[in-house]
Amino acid sequence: MTRKYNFSAGPAGLPDEVLLQAQEELLDWHGKGLSIMEMSHRSKEFVSVAETAEQDLRDLMGIGSNYKVLFLQGGATTQFSMIPMNLLRGKNTADYINTGIWSKKAIKEAARYCDVKLAGSSEENGFTAVPSQDQLILNPEAAYLHYTPNETIGGLEYDYVPEAGDVPLVADLSSTILSRPLDVNQFGLIYAGAQKNIGPAGLTVVIVREDLLGNVVDGAPTMFDYKVHADADSMNNTPPTFGWYLAGLVFQWLKAQGGVEAMAELNQRKAEKLYAAIDGSDFYANPMAKANRSWMNVPFTLADDALDKLFLEQAEEAGLLNLKGHRSVGGMRASIYNAVPEKAVDALIEFMQQFEKQNA
Ligand SMILES: *Cc1c(COP(=O)(O)O)cnc(C)c1O
Protein backbone atom coordinates (compact mmCIF):
# COMPACT_ATOMS: atom_id res chain seq x y z
CA MET A 1 0.00 0.00 0.00
CA THR A 2 1.23 3.51 -0.81
CA ARG A 3 -0.40 6.65 0.50
CA LYS A 4 0.05 9.44 -2.01
CA TYR A 5 0.31 13.14 -1.32
CA ASN A 6 -3.17 14.61 -1.45
CA PHE A 7 -3.59 18.33 -2.16
CA SER A 8 -7.40 18.17 -2.43
CA ALA A 9 -9.31 21.32 -1.43
CA GLY A 10 -12.08 19.22 0.10
CA PRO A 11 -12.96 16.60 1.05
CA ALA A 12 -9.29 16.77 1.96
CA GLY A 13 -6.61 14.47 3.29
CA LEU A 14 -6.76 13.19 6.85
CA PRO A 15 -3.78 12.31 9.07
CA ASP A 16 -2.54 8.74 8.54
CA GLU A 17 -2.52 8.20 12.31
CA VAL A 18 -6.23 9.08 12.50
CA LEU A 19 -7.21 6.76 9.66
CA LEU A 20 -5.17 3.92 11.17
CA GLN A 21 -6.83 4.36 14.55
CA ALA A 22 -10.28 4.43 12.92
CA GLN A 23 -9.36 1.27 11.02
CA GLU A 24 -8.20 -0.45 14.17
CA GLU A 25 -11.40 0.48 16.01
CA LEU A 26 -13.73 -0.08 13.09
CA LEU A 27 -15.13 -3.54 13.80
CA ASP A 28 -14.76 -3.51 17.55
CA TRP A 29 -14.77 -0.11 19.24
CA HIS A 30 -13.02 -0.31 22.65
CA GLY A 31 -13.97 -3.96 23.16
CA LYS A 32 -17.70 -3.31 22.78
CA GLY A 33 -17.94 -5.73 19.84
CA LEU A 34 -19.41 -3.25 17.39
CA SER A 35 -18.44 -0.27 15.30
CA ILE A 36 -18.94 3.29 16.47
CA MET A 37 -21.07 3.68 13.31
CA GLU A 38 -23.48 1.02 14.55
CA MET A 39 -24.07 2.48 18.01
CA SER A 40 -26.97 4.54 19.25
CA HIS A 41 -26.09 8.19 19.45
CA ARG A 42 -27.72 8.12 22.89
CA SER A 43 -25.54 5.27 24.21
CA LYS A 44 -23.19 6.25 27.00
CA GLU A 45 -20.29 5.15 24.78
CA PHE A 46 -21.15 7.53 21.95
CA VAL A 47 -22.09 10.35 24.32
CA SER A 48 -18.62 10.09 25.86
CA VAL A 49 -17.01 10.22 22.38
CA ALA A 50 -19.12 13.28 21.56
CA GLU A 51 -18.36 15.07 24.82
CA THR A 52 -14.63 14.37 24.58
CA ALA A 53 -14.53 15.72 21.02
CA GLU A 54 -16.29 18.89 22.11
CA GLN A 55 -13.98 19.38 25.08
CA ASP A 56 -10.89 18.81 22.94
CA LEU A 57 -12.10 21.40 20.42
CA ARG A 58 -12.80 23.81 23.29
CA ASP A 59 -9.26 23.24 24.60
CA LEU A 60 -7.64 23.62 21.17
CA MET A 61 -9.43 26.88 20.35
CA GLY A 62 -9.80 28.26 23.88
CA ILE A 63 -13.59 28.42 23.59
CA GLY A 64 -15.20 30.02 26.65
CA SER A 65 -18.21 28.59 28.50
CA ASN A 66 -20.40 31.41 27.12
CA TYR A 67 -20.20 29.74 23.70
CA LYS A 68 -22.12 26.69 22.49
CA VAL A 69 -20.37 24.24 20.20
CA LEU A 70 -22.76 22.53 17.78
CA PHE A 71 -22.10 19.45 15.64
CA LEU A 72 -24.55 19.77 12.74
CA GLN A 73 -25.17 18.57 9.20
CA GLY A 74 -25.85 20.45 5.97
CA GLY A 75 -22.38 21.85 5.34
CA ALA A 76 -21.23 25.44 5.48
CA THR A 77 -23.76 26.18 2.75
CA THR A 78 -26.68 25.51 5.10
CA GLN A 79 -25.10 28.01 7.49
CA PHE A 80 -25.46 30.67 4.79
CA SER A 81 -29.23 30.45 5.56
CA MET A 82 -29.16 29.58 9.26
CA ILE A 83 -27.09 32.65 10.10
CA PRO A 84 -29.60 35.27 8.88
CA MET A 85 -32.53 33.18 10.14
CA ASN A 86 -31.09 33.16 13.67
CA LEU A 87 -28.95 36.26 14.00
CA LEU A 88 -31.14 38.98 12.49
CA ARG A 89 -33.01 39.12 15.83
CA GLY A 90 -35.69 41.49 14.57
CA LYS A 91 -33.28 43.66 12.56
CA ASN A 92 -33.58 43.91 8.81
CA THR A 93 -30.02 44.49 7.69
CA ALA A 94 -26.64 42.76 7.93
CA ASP A 95 -23.13 43.72 6.78
CA TYR A 96 -21.14 41.40 4.52
CA ILE A 97 -17.62 41.66 3.10
CA ASN A 98 -17.15 40.27 -0.40
CA THR A 99 -13.72 38.71 -0.97
CA GLY A 100 -14.60 35.97 -3.45
CA ILE A 101 -16.78 33.05 -4.40
CA TRP A 102 -17.67 31.83 -0.92
CA SER A 103 -18.54 35.26 0.43
CA LYS A 104 -20.67 35.87 -2.67
CA LYS A 105 -22.62 32.71 -2.01
CA ALA A 106 -23.18 33.72 1.61
CA ILE A 107 -24.36 37.16 0.46
CA LYS A 108 -26.75 35.74 -2.11
CA GLU A 109 -28.43 33.55 0.48
CA ALA A 110 -28.61 36.27 3.16
CA ALA A 111 -30.26 38.62 0.64
CA ARG A 112 -33.30 36.32 0.77
CA TYR A 113 -33.82 37.29 4.43
CA CYS A 114 -32.58 40.85 4.81
CA ASP A 115 -31.09 43.93 3.25
CA VAL A 116 -27.42 43.02 2.74
CA LYS A 117 -25.05 45.97 2.89
CA LEU A 118 -21.56 45.54 1.48
CA ALA A 119 -19.17 46.64 4.21
CA GLY A 120 -16.24 46.04 1.88
CA SER A 121 -15.25 44.29 -1.31
CA SER A 122 -12.18 43.03 -3.14
CA GLU A 123 -13.88 43.43 -6.48
CA GLU A 124 -11.84 46.50 -7.52
CA ASN A 125 -8.53 44.65 -7.13
CA GLY A 126 -9.75 41.49 -8.85
CA PHE A 127 -10.06 39.65 -5.53
CA THR A 128 -6.32 39.73 -4.91
CA ALA A 129 -6.36 41.65 -1.61
CA VAL A 130 -8.81 41.97 1.27
CA PRO A 131 -10.16 45.39 2.27
CA SER A 132 -8.34 46.86 5.25
CA GLN A 133 -10.11 47.76 8.49
CA ASP A 134 -9.93 51.45 7.47
CA GLN A 135 -11.73 50.72 4.21
CA LEU A 136 -14.69 48.97 5.85
CA ILE A 137 -17.97 50.85 5.88
CA LEU A 138 -19.70 49.47 8.96
CA ASN A 139 -23.35 50.00 9.73
CA PRO A 140 -23.95 50.25 13.50
CA GLU A 141 -27.54 49.06 12.86
CA ALA A 142 -26.37 45.82 11.20
CA ALA A 143 -27.49 42.62 12.93
CA TYR A 144 -24.00 41.20 12.35
CA LEU A 145 -20.90 41.48 10.14
CA HIS A 146 -20.11 38.41 8.04
CA TYR A 147 -16.75 37.68 6.42
CA THR A 148 -14.80 34.78 4.96
CA PRO A 149 -11.37 34.62 6.65
CA ASN A 150 -10.01 32.30 3.95
CA GLU A 151 -11.37 32.16 0.41
CA THR A 152 -10.68 28.53 -0.44
CA ILE A 153 -11.02 28.95 -4.20
CA GLY A 154 -9.18 32.23 -4.71
CA GLY A 155 -6.50 31.52 -2.09
CA LEU A 156 -7.07 34.85 -0.32
CA GLU A 157 -6.74 35.03 3.47
CA TYR A 158 -7.23 37.89 5.92
CA ASP A 159 -4.18 38.97 7.87
CA TYR A 160 -6.39 40.58 10.54
CA VAL A 161 -9.73 40.07 12.29
CA PRO A 162 -12.22 42.82 11.41
CA GLU A 163 -13.37 44.94 14.34
CA ALA A 164 -17.09 45.69 14.32
CA GLY A 165 -17.65 47.16 17.78
CA ASP A 166 -20.90 45.90 19.30
CA VAL A 167 -22.03 44.27 16.06
CA PRO A 168 -21.44 40.50 16.31
CA LEU A 169 -18.75 39.20 13.97
CA VAL A 170 -19.59 36.05 11.97
CA ALA A 171 -16.86 34.05 10.23
CA ASP A 172 -16.90 31.24 7.67
CA LEU A 173 -13.83 29.41 8.90
CA SER A 174 -14.40 26.31 6.73
CA SER A 175 -10.92 26.17 5.27
CA THR A 176 -8.80 27.78 7.97
CA ILE A 177 -10.22 26.64 11.32
CA LEU A 178 -7.51 25.16 13.58
CA SER A 179 -4.71 26.20 11.20
CA ARG A 180 -3.52 29.00 13.48
CA PRO A 181 -4.51 30.54 16.82
CA LEU A 182 -7.57 32.77 16.96
CA ASP A 183 -9.30 34.65 19.78
CA VAL A 184 -12.81 33.18 19.79
CA ASN A 185 -14.00 36.02 22.02
CA GLN A 186 -13.82 38.37 19.04
CA PHE A 187 -16.62 36.42 17.34
CA GLY A 188 -20.37 36.08 17.70
CA LEU A 189 -20.42 32.98 15.54
CA ILE A 190 -17.87 30.78 13.77
CA TYR A 191 -18.81 28.00 11.37
CA ALA A 192 -16.94 25.43 9.32
CA GLY A 193 -17.74 22.48 7.11
CA ALA A 194 -15.57 19.67 8.48
CA GLN A 195 -14.23 18.27 5.23
CA LYS A 196 -11.30 20.66 4.86
CA ASN A 197 -9.43 20.95 8.11
CA ILE A 198 -11.40 18.87 10.61
CA GLY A 199 -12.62 15.51 9.34
CA PRO A 200 -14.89 13.86 6.81
CA ALA A 201 -17.72 15.52 4.87
CA GLY A 202 -21.15 15.44 6.51
CA LEU A 203 -20.28 17.30 9.70
CA THR A 204 -20.51 21.06 10.24
CA VAL A 205 -19.15 22.74 13.35
CA VAL A 206 -20.81 25.92 14.69
CA ILE A 207 -19.45 27.90 17.63
CA VAL A 208 -21.98 30.49 18.75
CA ARG A 209 -22.17 32.97 21.62
CA GLU A 210 -25.03 31.99 23.89
CA ASP A 211 -26.69 35.41 24.05
CA LEU A 212 -27.32 35.27 20.28
CA LEU A 213 -29.55 32.20 20.57
CA GLY A 214 -33.33 32.03 20.86
CA ASN A 215 -34.39 34.56 18.22
CA VAL A 216 -35.00 32.45 15.13
CA VAL A 217 -37.36 33.95 12.50
CA ASP A 218 -41.00 32.94 12.60
CA GLY A 219 -41.78 29.88 10.55
CA ALA A 220 -38.20 28.59 10.46
CA PRO A 221 -37.93 24.81 10.33
CA THR A 222 -37.10 23.34 13.74
CA MET A 223 -33.77 22.04 12.44
CA PHE A 224 -32.74 25.56 11.43
CA ASP A 225 -32.95 26.91 14.99
CA TYR A 226 -29.55 26.98 16.73
CA LYS A 227 -31.26 26.98 20.13
CA VAL A 228 -32.93 23.64 19.40
CA HIS A 229 -29.52 22.11 18.71
CA ALA A 230 -27.86 23.86 21.65
CA ASP A 231 -30.54 22.70 24.09
CA ALA A 232 -30.29 19.12 22.80
CA ASP A 233 -26.46 18.94 22.80
CA SER A 234 -26.66 18.58 18.99
CA MET A 235 -28.83 15.48 19.41
CA ASN A 236 -32.27 16.79 18.52
CA ASN A 237 -32.14 14.10 15.88
CA THR A 238 -29.47 11.58 14.89
CA PRO A 239 -26.22 13.51 14.51
CA PRO A 240 -23.49 12.51 12.00
CA THR A 241 -21.95 10.10 14.51
CA PHE A 242 -19.03 8.77 12.48
CA GLY A 243 -17.97 12.25 11.37
CA TRP A 244 -18.18 13.48 14.96
CA TYR A 245 -16.04 10.54 16.13
CA LEU A 246 -13.43 11.08 13.39
CA ALA A 247 -13.34 14.81 14.13
CA GLY A 248 -12.63 13.82 17.74
CA LEU A 249 -9.69 11.69 16.62
CA VAL A 250 -8.36 14.64 14.60
CA PHE A 251 -8.68 16.93 17.65
CA GLN A 252 -6.65 14.42 19.71
CA TRP A 253 -4.08 14.23 16.92
CA LEU A 254 -3.85 18.03 16.86
CA LYS A 255 -3.27 18.12 20.61
CA ALA A 256 -0.49 15.54 20.22
CA GLN A 257 1.14 17.72 17.52
CA GLY A 258 1.28 20.62 19.98
CA GLY A 259 -2.05 22.30 19.23
CA VAL A 260 -2.83 25.22 16.94
CA GLU A 261 0.35 27.13 17.85
CA ALA A 262 2.48 24.27 16.54
CA MET A 263 0.24 23.87 13.49
CA ALA A 264 0.55 27.60 12.75
CA GLU A 265 4.34 27.40 12.78
CA LEU A 266 4.28 24.38 10.46
CA ASN A 267 1.59 25.81 8.18
CA GLN A 268 3.41 29.10 7.81
CA ARG A 269 6.63 27.29 6.94
CA LYS A 270 4.85 25.08 4.38
CA ALA A 271 3.12 28.05 2.75
CA GLU A 272 6.20 30.28 2.72
CA LYS A 273 8.38 27.72 0.98
CA LEU A 274 5.73 27.02 -1.65
CA TYR A 275 5.16 30.74 -2.37
CA ALA A 276 8.95 31.26 -2.44
CA ALA A 277 9.25 28.54 -5.08
CA ILE A 278 6.48 30.20 -7.12
CA ASP A 279 7.96 33.71 -6.77
CA GLY A 280 11.46 32.46 -7.50
CA SER A 281 10.49 31.25 -10.97
CA ASP A 282 9.27 33.00 -14.10
CA PHE A 283 7.28 29.90 -14.98
CA TYR A 284 4.82 29.85 -12.04
CA ALA A 285 2.74 32.74 -10.73
CA ASN A 286 0.37 33.62 -7.90
CA PRO A 287 -1.34 37.04 -8.14
CA MET A 288 -2.41 37.54 -4.51
CA ALA A 289 -1.18 40.45 -2.38
CA LYS A 290 1.63 38.99 -0.26
CA ALA A 291 -0.04 39.84 3.06
CA ASN A 292 -3.26 38.11 1.99
CA ARG A 293 -1.85 34.90 0.59
CA SER A 294 -3.61 31.90 2.03
CA TRP A 295 -1.64 29.49 4.19
CA MET A 296 -4.11 26.76 3.31
CA ASN A 297 -4.92 27.04 -0.40
CA VAL A 298 -2.15 28.02 -2.81
CA PRO A 299 -3.38 28.60 -6.37
CA PHE A 300 -0.78 29.04 -9.09
CA THR A 301 -0.67 29.26 -12.86
CA LEU A 302 1.84 27.97 -15.38
CA ALA A 303 3.37 30.39 -17.90
CA ASP A 304 1.58 28.49 -20.67
CA ASP A 305 -1.78 26.97 -19.78
CA ALA A 306 -1.42 24.52 -22.67
CA LEU A 307 0.97 22.72 -20.28
CA ASP A 308 -1.65 22.34 -17.51
CA LYS A 309 -2.76 18.91 -18.64
CA LEU A 310 0.78 17.56 -18.85
CA PHE A 311 1.60 19.06 -15.44
CA LEU A 312 -1.36 17.33 -13.84
CA GLU A 313 -0.62 14.00 -15.52
CA GLN A 314 3.01 13.99 -14.51
CA ALA A 315 2.18 15.20 -11.00
CA GLU A 316 -0.19 12.30 -10.58
CA GLU A 317 2.49 9.88 -11.81
CA ALA A 318 4.79 11.36 -9.18
CA GLY A 319 2.19 10.66 -6.47
CA LEU A 320 0.97 14.26 -6.13
CA LEU A 321 -2.81 14.21 -6.36
CA ASN A 322 -5.63 16.74 -6.81
CA LEU A 323 -3.64 19.78 -7.90
CA LYS A 324 -6.16 20.98 -10.47
CA GLY A 325 -7.45 24.48 -9.72
CA HIS A 326 -11.14 25.13 -9.17
CA ARG A 327 -13.12 25.05 -12.42
CA SER A 328 -13.98 28.75 -12.05
CA VAL A 329 -10.31 29.80 -11.79
CA GLY A 330 -8.31 27.26 -13.80
CA GLY A 331 -4.60 26.68 -13.26
CA MET A 332 -3.45 24.73 -10.21
CA ARG A 333 -4.27 24.81 -6.54
CA ALA A 334 -2.35 23.07 -3.79
CA SER A 335 -4.41 22.82 -0.62
CA ILE A 336 -2.00 22.31 2.25
CA TYR A 337 -4.22 21.87 5.30
CA ASN A 338 -3.03 20.65 8.71
CA ALA A 339 -3.00 17.02 7.60
CA VAL A 340 -0.71 17.66 4.60
CA PRO A 341 2.82 16.98 5.86
CA GLU A 342 5.76 19.26 5.11
CA LYS A 343 7.40 16.50 3.08
CA ALA A 344 4.42 16.61 0.70
CA VAL A 345 5.11 20.30 0.08
CA ASP A 346 8.82 19.54 -0.41
CA ALA A 347 7.93 16.85 -2.95
CA LEU A 348 5.62 19.26 -4.79
CA ILE A 349 8.29 21.95 -4.97
CA GLU A 350 10.84 19.48 -6.29
CA PHE A 351 8.36 18.27 -8.91
CA MET A 352 7.53 21.87 -9.94
CA GLN A 353 11.21 22.69 -10.39
CA GLN A 354 11.82 19.60 -12.49
CA PHE A 355 8.76 20.26 -14.61
CA GLU A 356 9.90 23.82 -15.22
CA LYS A 357 13.36 22.64 -16.29
CA GLN A 358 11.88 20.25 -18.81
CA ASN A 359 9.15 22.51 -20.19
CA ALA A 360 10.09 26.19 -19.79
C1 LIG B 1 -16.01 24.47 1.08
C2 LIG B 1 -16.48 25.78 1.58
C3 LIG B 1 -17.86 26.07 1.74
C4 LIG B 1 -18.93 25.09 1.36
O1 LIG B 1 -18.94 24.04 2.24
P1 LIG B 1 -20.05 22.89 2.15
O2 LIG B 1 -19.77 22.11 3.40
O3 LIG B 1 -19.78 22.12 0.90
O4 LIG B 1 -21.39 23.51 2.14
C5 LIG B 1 -18.21 27.30 2.24
N1 LIG B 1 -17.28 28.22 2.58
C6 LIG B 1 -15.95 27.98 2.44
C7 LIG B 1 -14.97 29.03 2.84
C8 LIG B 1 -15.52 26.75 1.94
O5 LIG B 1 -14.21 26.52 1.81
Side-chain angles (χ1 to χ4, degrees), residues 30 57 84 91 105 114 136 138 155 163 196 221 234 308 315 354:
H30 293 207
L57 181 60
K91 299 198 176 205
K105 290 196 182 200
C114 66
L136 298 181
L138 299 171
E163 172 58 60
K196 276 119 190 193
S234 304
D308 285 5
Q354 261 172 22

Side-chain angles (χ1 to χ4, degrees), residues 343-354:
K343 60 183 196 285
V345 177
D346 292 337
L348 172 60
I349 292 170
E350 199 185 312
F351 170 80
M352 287 167 68
Q353 289 170 346
Q354 261 172 22

Side-chain angles (χ1 to χ4, degrees), residues 87-95 115 117 138-145 164 166-168:
L87 296 198
L88 281 171
R89 295 166 294 137
K91 299 198 176 205
N92 59 11
T93 184
D95 278 352
D115 178 17
K117 289 209 163 60
L138 299 171
N139 174 9
E141 292 308 310
Y144 57 88
L145 169 66
D166 292 336
V167 172

Side-chain angles (χ1 to χ4, degrees), residues 249-322:
L249 296 186
V250 171
F251 299 152
Q252 281 167 15
W253 176 81
L254 281 172
K255 280 186 155 180
Q257 307 305 302
V260 285
E261 287 80 10
M263 291 323 294
E265 212 176 288
L266 174 64
N267 288 327
Q268 183 172 17
R269 205 163 63 227
K270 280 154 50 185
E272 278 177 358
K273 62 165 84 167
L274 184 49
Y275 286 116
I278 293 167
D279 291 344
S281 105
D282 296 327
F283 188 74
Y284 301 107
N286 169 285
M288 296 300 145
K290 291 221 162 73
N292 297 143
R293 282 174 157 181
S294 169
W295 287 7
M296 296 282 99
N297 310 97
V298 182
F300 59 93
T301 50
L302 276 54
D304 176 3
D305 62 14
L307 288 168
D308 285 5
K309 195 165 164 274
L310 186 68
F311 181 94
L312 288 166
E313 277 168 15
Q314 292 188 354
E316 195 169 327
E317 279 165 29
L320 309 168
L321 305 184
N322 296 315

Side-chain angles (χ1 to χ4, degrees), residues 74-78 80 102 148 150-152 172 174-175 193 195-196 204:
T77 303
T78 300
F80 296 163
W102 290 116
T148 310
N150 183 62
E151 287 282 356
T152 319
D172 176 357
S174 291
S175 49
Q195 68 274 22
K196 276 119 190 193
T204 313

